[in-house]
Amino acid sequence: MSEDKSNQYNAPTEVKEIDIVNTFELEELAKEVMPSGGYGYISGGSGDEYTKKQNIDSFNHKGILPRVLADVENPDTKTTILGHNIPAPFIMAPIAAHGLAHATKEAGTARGVSEYGTIMSISAYSGATFEEIEEGLKGSPRWFQLYMSKDDELNKLIVDEAKKDGATAIILTADATLSGNRETDIRNKFVYPFGMPIVSRYLSGSGENMSLNNIYAQSKQKISPKDVEFLTSYSGLPVIVKGIQTPEDALLAIGVGASGVWVSNHGGRQLDGAPGSFDTLAEISRAVGNRVPIIFDSGIRRGEHIFKALASGADIVALGRPMLYGLALGGWKGVQSVLEYFETDLKRVMQLAGTQTIEDIKHAKLFDNARYK
Amino acid sequence: MSEDKSNQYNAPTEVKEIDIVNTFELEELAKEVMPSGGYGYISGGSGDEYTKKQNIDSFNHKGILPRVLADVENPDTKTTILGHNIPAPFIMAPIAAHGLAHATKEAGTARGVSEYGTIMSISAYSGATFEEIEEGLKGSPRWFQLYMSKDDELNKLIVDEAKKDGATAIILTADATLSGNRETDIRNKFVYPFGMPIVSRYLSGSGENMSLNNIYAQSKQKISPKDVEFLTSYSGLPVIVKGIQTPEDALLAIGVGASGVWVSNHGGRQLDGAPGSFDTLAEISRAVGNRVPIIFDSGIRRGEHIFKALASGADIVALGRPMLYGLALGGWKGVQSVLEYFETDLKRVMQLAGTQTIEDIKHAKLFDNARYK
Amino acid sequence: MSEDKSNQYNAPTEVKEIDIVNTFELEELAKEVMPSGGYGYISGGSGDEYTKKQNIDSFNHKGILPRVLADVENPDTKTTILGHNIPAPFIMAPIAAHGLAHATKEAGTARGVSEYGTIMSISAYSGATFEEIEEGLKGSPRWFQLYMSKDDELNKLIVDEAKKDGATAIILTADATLSGNRETDIRNKFVYPFGMPIVSRYLSGSGENMSLNNIYAQSKQKISPKDVEFLTSYSGLPVIVKGIQTPEDALLAIGVGASGVWVSNHGGRQLDGAPGSFDTLAEISRAVGNRVPIIFDSGIRRGEHIFKALASGADIVALGRPMLYGLALGGWKGVQSVLEYFETDLKRVMQLAGTQTIEDIKHAKLFDNARYK
Amino acid sequence: MSEDKSNQYNAPTEVKEIDIVNTFELEELAKEVMPSGGYGYISGGSGDEYTKKQNIDSFNHKGILPRVLADVENPDTKTTILGHNIPAPFIMAPIAAHGLAHATKEAGTARGVSEYGTIMSISAYSGATFEEIEEGLKGSPRWFQLYMSKDDELNKLIVDEAKKDGATAIILTADATLSGNRETDIRNKFVYPFGMPIVSRYLSGSGENMSLNNIYAQSKQKISPKDVEFLTSYSGLPVIVKGIQTPEDALLAIGVGASGVWVSNHGGRQLDGAPGSFDTLAEISRAVGNRVPIIFDSGIRRGEHIFKALASGADIVALGRPMLYGLALGGWKGVQSVLEYFETDLKRVMQLAGTQTIEDIKHAKLFDNARYK
């Protein structure tokens, strides 16, 4: 059924490698091939989109200081996160409803991620089932991102299913207990054109033809440290709290057992008026003090951004919108092209910045532009 | 007579609920339905409109730091101000001449405010009589805003009338002892198309066909602490001094008996070149030290702005231009729509920021963007 | 002869009062009536016009803090400078070649200044003779601004003539020992369409058909403290050093006998890349410590600017471009209109800022916007 | 052969003096006469071109403070660098492939530089041979800029050849161990239309029809302090390390024998996201402490920029893009015109700033705009 709807929605279907000059262009190109409702949903931010814009602009608040005479050649982007070896310090961010970008839905993304060799984050608001996504993943590592039900028994069922599917970590999204004020979706009267099989057990319907506001409202609002404890205890998996923007919340999450801190403002889609995500990172990192890894997202569009995030305390970053644009433009091959673009770009940045390894980046000193203008 | 003029002026007359995506759009929509002279008067600022612009931009000098894991659900916007319980921390700001926006004049605004359940500020420059406004208010709480006459005997008469009408506080506007340099009105050769019955007893005419400059000049310029003492003593009501932009004036007003401090730059309509109102708030709040409540206006367009104002020391905010745009577009129902929009938006912000109550907002820490760019 | 040329140049000739909404519009209106070469000369700055733009923008680095409850009515703009009582704290700045703006040349400006009652600065690069200017001044106070000759004997002759004409002070322009890089004039191949009778005694010609570069090069480059001593001693008049932008030069000038410090960057016409003139004022004022008066120019377009300059240490300001636009648009009556506009605007600002006197402005505290954004 | 290709490429051939209002216009004019691939290569930066833009904008972070009463006349721009007396504190920067701008290639530039009397930097990526360049240089001083081969024996051969040609210093470019992310070249599918005879001994081909990425990749990546030692020791010439952007690298280079520090971010062509080159200069200069000279490039377009760079610690600056635009527009005469423009402009700035000598500039105090806005 959701298949039929998906056809009505007319998501792109092409599968091909894509040439990428930069990921800003990807957005423009994706806009041309995606239905406007789906494009608006994926590209849009909340409110004035101030925070969305700051996410990218804030990277210019710090400058990379290239170290020359650094004896660097063929920089090595490999790193490890929560026991997984990955070819580069980036993974797929959890995003709802990949079917808006491509008819292959999350399975398409998963295949691109799998072929490249990094970690897939499966969103609870996936439009595909775990089984469908596994067709793309083929055993590759995956983390499961949870929007909790108000009913913990249902949460247990969902966690059980994710574990059975092979998730090696649970991402608890804590910054989206309601939908942000997404004006583009309001203007488009956007509803999901297909269901959300994973969370449909706690929705009043399948998710199909439901608005974002409606779906968020049916998930749990009262997220608290107890939920971190519950998920840690029940799942036996590392739990990463996503949406952290303050040192206080990072410390709180670690205190109740979180195995990772995910610094993010949800791509500027939740609370507009929040600072650019990158602006909040360094202070959080100082509070975390390497006790747990830090995953960072919101605004990564270039290798320079990855470098700056890692030099400010992130262990890895997560890629969101550019990945779905790649999916829209080339299906799984497009996703793989995006990941390869970021690796190529990061390698060039590492070489030019004089850093041989990811560890070198983490010790690089950034330039504080704020002192100069 | 003013009724006839009002018809000539052709103020909007429609009464309907309005769909609000954001209040910036309301301005554009109101521009289409309002006569240009009236629209220019309400929307315009003074001079270069630097201060008017800063009023909105200055909110971006601080960022909201969302607290996650905050155990929040169904945030409660209710609060109390000077003994009144109101559903949300906002009231109607005093504005002159609502008849420019809608044929129902202040009575229309009053009904929308009354139906919603918050406090109406009645301007001394109202185009409607107390009796006409009461038709909309129907016993709801109201504060009376005074532009003083040069003759205190007339001020006593006006205060007597306001008390008889049921005002529970006097707002003394102290930042408008002359008209600001409103170039739009000068270009439009704007004159009020109807009289001002409340202050007509001290004008050389009814107010009809008189310019703003002319009317302001006939009111009292020499506002001093003695006026606060006089009004406090004569009225026996709490007196709130409006237009305060410095800690010094806040302390001065409190010292002579003011029961409230109203931080405002008159929506950027008086002295251009003054800082954005929000930029001045935190320092004033530190000086006030909770001895009297702080009311804040100038630039509130979103729930995020209300949150930032309260987190910077305001107890409530007052809404001005957006309310008159709501009035223009939908009469009393439009006014009610605007108030409901702000409540909905504030609730979303509270949920996403992790604040259950208004008191929680007042204790929230903001992010200082100035340190980063 | 220069009269014939002036006719060929086709300077405006109309004499009328002008309605002024703001002085920015005056510039646009003047552009329509003035020949393009003359307009480019008067309106243009040097290089990228960064400094010219900063002159106006820098006023927004500080905010006026309106004091309410200030017991102010009918503020008094009168002040005194070097023994002259003037109706408001502004005078005419020295500018070359008023004949570019109006056929009545400096005599037109002088009459407007005289009718208003403030001080005329007569430029050494005047296109009119002292006698012609006196026809407008009619005995009103005047200061004489000197571009020195390389030959002190000629300087003595010029000073003698200025004294005989009644100058009560000598303004030594020290920031223009060469022409700034005025690209507009270069593109227009601008040459003066008439002679400069006062300095023609040291030029290789009358000044007519000579470029700015040519004329500046024939005046003295090696301006030093000795020139201040020479002029002070020879003239017996107060000498004001114009073009000071550092505390060091202010102290140096005072040390060799200057009776006034004129803070200016020549309206952004000399060294581009210098800071906005207003940004340099407060520090210079602290160094001067009220030992001599400070005259300020560069960027004054509104009453708010005059207020900010005085609150930052200036005793009076000088008006340049807006005066010549007034001259272009209305001859001497236009000049008078500009002066009256500034007085009206300053009075409004004083009332709204809560300052009764010029002395009150000098004690007003400004708001430091730089701390907030 | 490369001659034939060059004809196919259709580089400009005109030789003439050019009138220069400013160098920004030169860029626009050069764009009209140059083939788009070559123009894109020369004008383009990397990534978002943030760093390229900052290179010019960052000069506005500091202001020149004109000193008046400074007793200056006919300022003297002459200076000395590494034993060479030059007429003004600027030299030709090393740039690849001048043949993109003009059919006379590096020989054209060399002649203009030689006629003016300053130092030519010969790039290892020159499209002309040493012999061809000598036709323009005619014995004038030259420095040789090296992109190292991975094979030190070949490096020795190249250094030998440069020494034989008369180079008095070796510039080791250390910030370009790979090509920057030059999107314009990617879009243009730009390849060099002619060979690079100097480095062709270590390329897989002549350089002709090869991309920048390809050529850079064939040069040496692992640049380290040992290379500075090797070049110093083998050549017996002063070695200047180019591309330094941190105090740490300046100290490192000096520690292993560098005779000069060249502060540069390669005109914003290498690592985008690096700070504006001027923003990094003062701190590096403090670290260097006059032990070796500092050469500065990236963003010099006006005499003001040269002044600010010298006042921030540079001993001389190097001119890049404007020189190639001059070459494109007028061949060697155009190059000479550009150099003369900069001298004229610098002299004017020196006069207006009150500095008689280059040493005076080095002791000038700049104004910190960052404190004010």
Side-chain angles (χ1 to χ4, degrees):
Chain A
M1 282 169 300
S2 75
E3 235 52 44
D4 293 344
K5 277 287 170 189
S6 178
N7 288 340
Q8 291 179 19
Y9 171 81
N10 285 325
T13 58
E14 202 164 6
V15 177
K16 61 172 185 188
E17 291 173 19
I18 50 181
D19 279 339
I20 299 176
V21 177
N22 63 53
T23 66
F24 298 105
E25 281 190 358
L26 282 192
E27 184 168 73
E28 294 164 33
L29 295 167
K31 186 176 183 178
E32 291 171 21
V33 300
M34 286 175 64
S36 62
Y39 173 78
Y41 171 77
I42 288 168
S43 65
S46 58
D48 291 314
E49 298 198 335
Y50 169 83
T51 298
K52 180 189 163 195
K53 189 169 178 303
Q54 278 294 304
N55 280 342
I56 292 174
D57 290 352
S58 59
F59 284 113
N60 285 335
H61 300 166
K62 302 278 182 186
I64 303 178
L65 286 167
R67 294 300 304 269
V68 296
L69 307 176
D71 209 20
V72 167
E73 187 172 27
N74 295 326
D76 180 0
T77 59
K78 287 196 294 296
T79 193
T80 302
I81 185 78
L82 291 179
H84 295 287
N85 297 315
I86 49 180
F90 43 77
I91 66 169
M92 177 65 196
I95 302 192
H98 299 200
L100 298 172
H102 200 266
T104 56
K105 294 183 173 174
E106 282 75 6
T109 314
R111 181 161 176 199
V113 170
S114 162
E115 297 275 348
Y116 177 74
T118 192
I119 299 166
M120 174 74 180
S121 298
I122 297 176
S123 169
Y125 289 174
S126 169
T129 62
F130 285 119
E131 293 71 23
E132 287 166 343
I133 299 171
E134 173 58 21
E135 284 174 33
L137 273 180
K138 292 170 186 156
S140 275
R142 72 210 66 186
W143 292 349
F144 175 68
Q145 176 266 337
L146 182 60
Y147 283 117
M148 295 185 81
S149 166
K150 300 180 205 285
D151 177 347
D152 268 348
E153 293 311 308
L154 295 179
N155 288 323
K156 287 181 185 173
L157 285 176
I158 293 171
V159 167
D160 287 345
E161 197 173 357
K163 283 189 72 170
K164 188 177 141 216
D165 180 57
T168 58
I170 303 289
I171 305 162
L172 173 61
T173 295
D175 65 350
T177 59
L178 275 186
S179 170
N181 179 21
R182 308 207 191 151
E183 299 186 354
T184 304
D185 293 345
I186 294 168
R187 286 200 186 89
N188 288 341
K189 301 184 198 305
F190 176 75
V191 293
Y192 289 104
F194 41 73
M196 293 179 174
I198 297 174
V199 295
S200 62
R201 50 168 57 86
Y202 70 70
L203 298 180
S204 61
S206 71
E208 187 179 339
N209 289 325
M210 289 169 70
S211 75
L212 189 61
N213 270 337
N214 186 355
I215 289 173
Y216 266 119
Q218 295 186 43
S219 67
K220 184 174 187 173
Q221 275 71 57
K222 272 182 81 70
I223 305 285
S224 81
K226 286 180 190 161
D227 295 293
V228 181
E229 289 173 334
F230 163 74
L231 288 171
T232 303
S233 154
Y234 182 76
S235 73
L237 293 176
V239 171
I240 304 166
V241 181
K242 179 169 178 284
I244 284 180
Q245 293 182 61
T246 58
E248 291 86 345
D249 277 339
L251 295 172
L252 184 61
I254 294 169
V256 293
S259 296
V261 162
W262 192 308
V263 175
S264 168
N265 59 28
H266 218 109
R269 297 160 75 80
Q270 289 300 107
L271 184 56
D272 194 46
S277 194
F278 177 68
D279 275 343
T280 70
L281 176 58
E283 202 181 334
I284 294 171
S285 166
R286 283 191 289 273
V288 169
N290 292 312
R291 280 177 288 169
V292 300
I294 294 176
I295 300 97
F296 174 86
D297 76 31
S298 297
I300 300 286
R301 296 293 179 276
R302 290 192 178 274
E304 287 91 342
H305 299 162
I306 299 174
F307 187 103
K308 290 180 182 179
L310 267 58
S312 300
D315 290 277
I316 60 167
V317 303
L319 305 171
R321 289 187 183 96
M323 294 288 276
L324 285 214
Y325 300 141
L327 181 67
L329 291 164
W332 71 266
K333 288 189 177 177
V335 167
Q336 192 177 7
S337 296
V338 171
L339 290 161
E340 286 166 353
Y341 164 84
F342 275 107
E343 182 179 321
T344 300
D345 203 34
L346 178 60
K347 273 190 176 144
R348 174 170 42 206
V349 172
M350 290 175 73
Q351 176 71 42
L352 294 176
T355 46
Q356 185 69 45
T357 65
I358 297 302
E359 204 57 30
D360 287 347
I361 301 178
K362 291 185 186 177
H363 290 91
K365 192 175 76 173
L366 299 179
F367 186 83
D368 184 4
N369 285 320
R371 285 192 298 148
Y372 292 85
K373 48 178 154 169
Chain B
M1 281 168 300
S2 75
E3 234 52 43
D4 294 343
K5 276 286 169 189
S6 177
N7 288 340
Q8 291 178 19
Y9 171 80
N10 283 326
T13 57
E14 201 164 7
V15 177
K16 62 171 183 186
E17 291 172 18
I18 50 180
D19 279 338
I20 300 175
V21 176
N22 62 54
T23 65
F24 299 105
E25 282 189 358
L26 282 193
E27 184 166 74
E28 294 164 32
L29 295 168
K31 187 176 183 177
E32 291 171 21
V33 301
M34 284 174 65
S36 62
Y39 173 77
Y41 171 77
I42 288 169
S43 66
S46 58
D48 291 315
E49 298 198 335
Y50 169 82
T51 298
K52 180 189 162 194
K53 190 169 178 302
Q54 278 294 304
N55 280 342
I56 292 174
D57 290 353
S58 60
F59 284 113
N60 285 334
H61 300 167
K62 302 278 180 184
I64 304 178
L65 286 167
R67 294 301 303 270
V68 297
L69 306 176
D71 208 21
V72 167
E73 186 171 27
N74 295 326
D76 181 0
T77 59
K78 288 195 294 295
T79 192
T80 301
I81 184 78
L82 291 179
H84 295 288
N85 296 316
I86 50 178
F90 43 76
I91 66 169
M92 177 66 196
I95 303 191
H98 299 200
L100 298 171
H102 200 266
T104 57
K105 295 184 173 173
E106 282 75 5
T109 313
R111 180 162 177 197
V113 169
S114 162
E115 298 274 349
Y116 177 74
T118 191
I119 299 167
M120 175 73 181
S121 298
I122 297 176
S123 169
Y125 288 174
S126 170
T129 62
F130 284 119
E131 292 71 23
E132 287 165 344
I133 300 171
E134 172 59 20
E135 285 173 33
L137 274 179
K138 293 171 187 156
S140 276
R142 72 208 66 186
W143 292 350
F144 176 67
Q145 176 265 336
L146 182 60
Y147 284 115
M148 293 184 82
S149 168
K150 299 180 207 284
D151 177 348
D152 269 348
E153 294 310 309
L154 295 179
N155 288 323
K156 286 181 186 173
L157 286 177
I158 293 171
V159 167
D160 288 344
E161 196 174 357
K163 282 190 72 171
K164 188 176 141 215
D165 181 57
T168 57
I170 304 288
I171 306 162
L172 173 63
T173 296
D175 65 351
T177 57
L178 275 186
S179 171
N181 179 20
R182 308 209 192 149
E183 300 186 354
T184 304
D185 294 344
I186 296 168
R187 286 198 186 91
N188 288 341
K189 302 185 199 304
F190 176 75
V191 292
Y192 290 103
F194 41 73
M196 294 179 174
I198 297 174
V199 296
S200 63
R201 51 168 57 87
Y202 70 70
L203 298 180
S204 62
S206 71
E208 189 178 337
N209 289 325
M210 291 169 70
S211 74
L212 189 61
N213 271 337
N214 187 355
I215 289 173
Y216 266 118
Q218 295 187 41
S219 67
K220 183 174 188 174
Q221 274 71 56
K222 271 182 83 69
I223 305 285
S224 80
K226 285 181 190 160
D227 294 294
V228 180
E229 289 173 336
F230 163 73
L231 288 171
T232 303
S233 155
Y234 183 76
S235 73
L237 293 176
V239 171
I240 305 165
V241 181
K242 178 168 178 284
I244 284 180
Q245 293 182 61
T246 58
E248 291 84 349
D249 277 338
L251 295 172
L252 184 60
I254 294 169
V256 293
S259 296
V261 162
W262 192 309
V263 175
S264 167
N265 59 27
H266 218 108
R269 297 160 75 80
Q270 289 300 107
L271 184 56
D272 195 45
S277 195
F278 177 68
D279 275 344
T280 69
L281 176 58
E283 203 180 332
I284 295 171
S285 165
R286 282 190 289 274
V288 169
N290 291 312
R291 279 178 289 168
V292 299
I294 294 176
I295 299 98
F296 174 86
D297 75 34
S298 297
I300 300 285
R301 296 295 179 273
R302 289 191 178 277
E304 286 91 342
H305 299 162
I306 300 174
F307 187 104
K308 289 179 182 181
L310 267 57
S312 300
D315 290 278
I316 60 168
V317 303
L319 304 171
R321 289 187 183 95
M323 294 289 276
L324 285 214
Y325 300 141
L327 181 68
L329 291 163
W332 70 266
K333 288 189 178 176
V335 168
Q336 191 177 9
S337 296
V338 171
L339 290 163
E340 285 165 354
Y341 165 83
F342 275 107
E343 181 179 321
T344 299
D345 204 33
L346 178 59
K347 275 192 176 145
R348 174 169 43 207
V349 171
M350 289 175 74
Q351 175 72 41
L352 294 176
T355 45
Q356 185 69 45
T357 65
I358 296 303
E359 204 57 31
D360 287 348
I361 301 178
K362 292 186 186 176
H363 290 90
K365 193 176 75 173
L366 298 180
F367 186 84
D368 184 4
N369 285 321
R371 284 192 299 148
Y372 291 86
K373 48 177 154 171
Chain C
M1 281 169 301
S2 75
E3 235 51 45
D4 293 342
K5 275 287 171 189
S6 178
N7 288 339
Q8 290 179 20
Y9 171 80
N10 283 326
T13 57
E14 200 164 9
V15 177
K16 61 171 184 187
E17 291 172 20
I18 50 179
D19 279 338
I20 300 176
V21 176
N22 63 53
T23 65
F24 298 105
E25 281 189 359
L26 283 193
E27 184 166 76
E28 294 164 34
L29 295 167
K31 187 176 183 178
E32 291 171 23
V33 300
M34 286 175 65
S36 62
Y39 174 78
Y41 171 77
I42 288 168
S43 65
S46 58
D48 292 314
E49 299 198 334
Y50 169 82
T51 297
K52 180 189 162 196
K53 190 170 177 302
Q54 279 294 304
N55 280 343
I56 292 174
D57 290 352
S58 59
F59 284 113
N60 286 334
H61 299 167
K62 302 278 182 187
I64 304 177
L65 286 168
R67 294 301 302 270
V68 296
L69 306 176
D71 209 21
V72 167
E73 187 171 25
N74 295 326
D76 180 0
T77 60
K78 289 195 293 295
T79 191
T80 302
I81 184 79
L82 292 179
H84 295 288
N85 296 314
I86 48 178
F90 43 77
I91 66 169
M92 177 65 197
I95 302 191
H98 300 200
L100 298 170
H102 200 265
T104 56
K105 294 185 176 173
E106 283 75 5
T109 314
R111 179 160 179 200
V113 168
S114 162
E115 299 273 349
Y116 177 74
T118 191
I119 300 167
M120 175 74 181
S121 298
I122 297 177
S123 171
Y125 288 175
S126 170
T129 63
F130 284 118
E131 292 71 23
E132 288 165 343
I133 300 171
E134 172 60 18
E135 285 173 34
L137 275 180
K138 294 170 187 157
S140 277
R142 71 209 68 185
W143 292 349
F144 176 67
Q145 176 265 337
L146 182 61
Y147 284 116
M148 294 184 82
S149 167
K150 299 179 207 285
D151 177 347
D152 270 347
E153 294 309 309
L154 294 179
N155 289 323
K156 286 180 186 172
L157 286 177
I158 294 171
V159 167
D160 288 344
E161 195 173 359
K163 280 188 74 172
K164 187 176 141 218
D165 180 57
T168 57
I170 304 288
I171 305 162
L172 173 63
T173 296
D175 66 350
T177 57
L178 274 186
S179 170
N181 179 21
R182 308 207 191 152
E183 301 186 354
T184 304
D185 293 344
I186 295 168
R187 285 198 186 91
N188 287 341
K189 303 186 197 305
F190 176 76
V191 292
Y192 290 103
F194 42 73
M196 292 179 175
I198 298 174
V199 296
S200 61
R201 52 168 56 88
Y202 69 71
L203 298 181
S204 61
S206 71
E208 189 178 337
N209 289 325
M210 291 169 69
S211 74
L212 189 61
N213 271 337
N214 187 355
I215 290 174
Y216 267 118
Q218 294 187 43
S219 67
K220 184 174 189 175
Q221 275 70 57
K222 272 181 82 70
I223 305 284
S224 80
K226 286 180 191 160
D227 294 294
V228 180
E229 289 172 335
F230 162 73
L231 288 171
T232 302
S233 154
Y234 182 76
S235 73
L237 293 176
V239 171
I240 304 165
V241 181
K242 177 167 178 285
I244 284 182
Q245 294 183 61
T246 58
E248 292 84 348
D249 277 339
L251 295 173
L252 184 59
I254 294 170
V256 292
S259 296
V261 162
W262 192 308
V263 174
S264 167
N265 59 28
H266 218 109
R269 296 160 77 80
Q270 288 300 106
L271 184 56
D272 195 45
S277 194
F278 178 69
D279 276 343
T280 69
L281 175 58
E283 204 179 332
I284 294 171
S285 166
R286 282 190 290 273
V288 169
N290 292 311
R291 280 177 290 169
V292 300
I294 294 176
I295 299 98
F296 174 86
D297 76 32
S298 297
I300 299 285
R301 296 294 179 275
R302 290 191 177 276
E304 287 90 343
H305 300 161
I306 300 175
F307 187 103
K308 290 179 181 180
L310 267 57
S312 299
D315 290 279
I316 60 165
V317 304
L319 304 172
R321 290 186 183 96
M323 294 288 277
L324 285 213
Y325 299 142
L327 181 68
L329 292 164
W332 70 266
K333 288 189 178 177
V335 167
Q336 190 177 9
S337 296
V338 171
L339 290 162
E340 285 165 355
Y341 164 83
F342 275 107
E343 181 179 320
T344 300
D345 203 33
L346 178 59
K347 274 192 178 144
R348 175 170 41 209
V349 171
M350 289 176 74
Q351 175 72 41
L352 295 176
T355 46
Q356 183 70 45
T357 65
I358 296 303
E359 204 57 31
D360 287 347
I361 300 178
K362 291 186 186 176
H363 290 91
K365 193 175 77 174
L366 298 180
F367 187 83
D368 184 4
N369 285 320
R371 285 192 298 146
Y372 291 86
K373 46 179 157 173
Chain D
M1 284 168 298
S2 76
E3 234 52 44
D4 293 344
K5 275 288 171 188
S6 177
N7 288 340
Q8 289 179 20
Y9 170 81
N10 284 325
T13 58
E14 201 163 8
V15 177
K16 61 171 184 187
E17 291 172 20
I18 49 180
D19 278 338
I20 300 177
V21 176
N22 63 54
T23 66
F24 298 105
E25 281 189 359
L26 282 192
E27 184 167 74
E28 294 164 34
L29 295 167
K31 186 175 182 178
E32 291 171 23
V33 300
M34 287 175 64
S36 62
Y39 173 78
Y41 171 78
I42 287 168
S43 65
S46 59
D48 292 314
E49 299 198 334
Y50 169 83
T51 297
K52 179 189 163 197
K53 189 169 178 304
Q54 278 295 303
N55 281 343
I56 292 174
D57 290 351
S58 59
F59 284 113
N60 285 334
H61 299 166
K62 302 278 184 188
I64 304 177
L65 286 167
R67 294 301 302 269
V68 296
L69 306 176
D71 209 21
V72 167
E73 187 171 26
N74 295 326
D76 180 1
T77 60
K78 288 195 294 295
T79 192
T80 302
I81 184 79
L82 292 178
H84 294 287
N85 296 315
I86 49 179
F90 43 77
I91 66 169
M92 177 65 195
I95 304 192
H98 300 200
L100 299 171
H102 200 265
T104 56
K105 294 184 174 171
E106 283 75 5
T109 313
R111 181 161 177 201
V113 169
S114 162
E115 299 274 349
Y116 176 75
T118 191
I119 300 167
M120 175 74 180
S121 299
I122 297 177
S123 170
Y125 289 174
S126 170
T129 63
F130 285 118
E131 292 70 24
E132 289 166 342
I133 300 171
E134 172 59 19
E135 286 174 32
L137 273 179
K138 295 170 185 158
S140 275
R142 70 209 70 185
W143 292 348
F144 175 67
Q145 175 265 338
L146 182 60
Y147 283 116
M148 295 184 81
S149 167
K150 298 179 206 288
D151 177 347
D152 269 347
E153 293 310 310
L154 295 179
N155 289 324
K156 287 180 184 173
L157 286 176
I158 293 170
V159 167
D160 288 344
E161 196 173 356
K163 282 189 72 170
K164 187 177 142 216
D165 179 57
T168 58
I170 304 287
I171 305 162
L172 172 62
T173 296
D175 65 351
T177 58
L178 275 186
S179 171
N181 179 23
R182 308 207 192 151
E183 300 186 355
T184 304
D185 292 345
I186 295 168
R187 286 199 185 92
N188 288 341
K189 302 185 197 307
F190 177 76
V191 293
Y192 290 104
F194 41 72
M196 293 179 174
I198 298 175
V199 296
S200 63
R201 51 168 57 87
Y202 69 71
L203 298 180
S204 61
S206 71
E208 188 179 338
N209 289 326
M210 290 169 69
S211 74
L212 188 62
N213 270 338
N214 187 355
I215 290 172
Y216 267 118
Q218 294 186 43
S219 68
K220 185 175 187 173
Q221 276 70 57
K222 273 181 80 70
I223 306 285
S224 81
K226 287 179 189 160
D227 295 293
V228 180
E229 289 172 335
F230 162 75
L231 288 170
T232 303
S233 154
Y234 182 77
S235 73
L237 293 176
V239 172
I240 304 165
V241 182
K242 178 168 178 284
I244 284 181
Q245 292 181 63
T246 58
E248 292 85 347
D249 277 340
L251 295 172
L252 185 60
I254 294 169
V256 293
S259 296
V261 162
W262 193 308
V263 174
S264 167
N265 60 27
H266 218 110
R269 295 160 76 81
Q270 288 300 106
L271 184 56
D272 194 46
S277 195
F278 177 69
D279 275 342
T280 69
L281 175 58
E283 203 180 333
I284 295 170
S285 166
R286 282 190 289 272
V288 169
N290 292 312
R291 280 178 288 170
V292 299
I294 294 176
I295 299 98
F296 174 85
D297 75 31
S298 298
I300 299 286
R301 296 294 179 274
R302 289 192 178 276
E304 286 91 341
H305 300 162
I306 299 174
F307 187 103
K308 290 179 182 180
L310 267 58
S312 300
D315 290 280
I316 60 166
V317 304
L319 305 171
R321 290 186 183 96
M323 294 289 276
L324 285 213
Y325 300 141
L327 182 67
L329 292 164
W332 71 265
K333 288 189 177 176
V335 167
Q336 191 177 9
S337 296
V338 171
L339 291 161
E340 286 166 354
Y341 164 83
F342 275 108
E343 182 180 320
T344 300
D345 204 32
L346 178 60
K347 274 192 177 142
R348 174 170 42 207
V349 171
M350 289 175 75
Q351 175 71 43
L352 294 177
T355 46
Q356 184 69 46
T357 65
I358 297 301
E359 204 57 30
D360 287 347
I361 301 179
K362 292 186 186 175
H363 290 90
K365 193 175 76 172
L366 298 180
F367 186 83
D368 184 3
N369 285 321
R371 284 192 298 147
Y372 292 85
K373 48 179 157 170

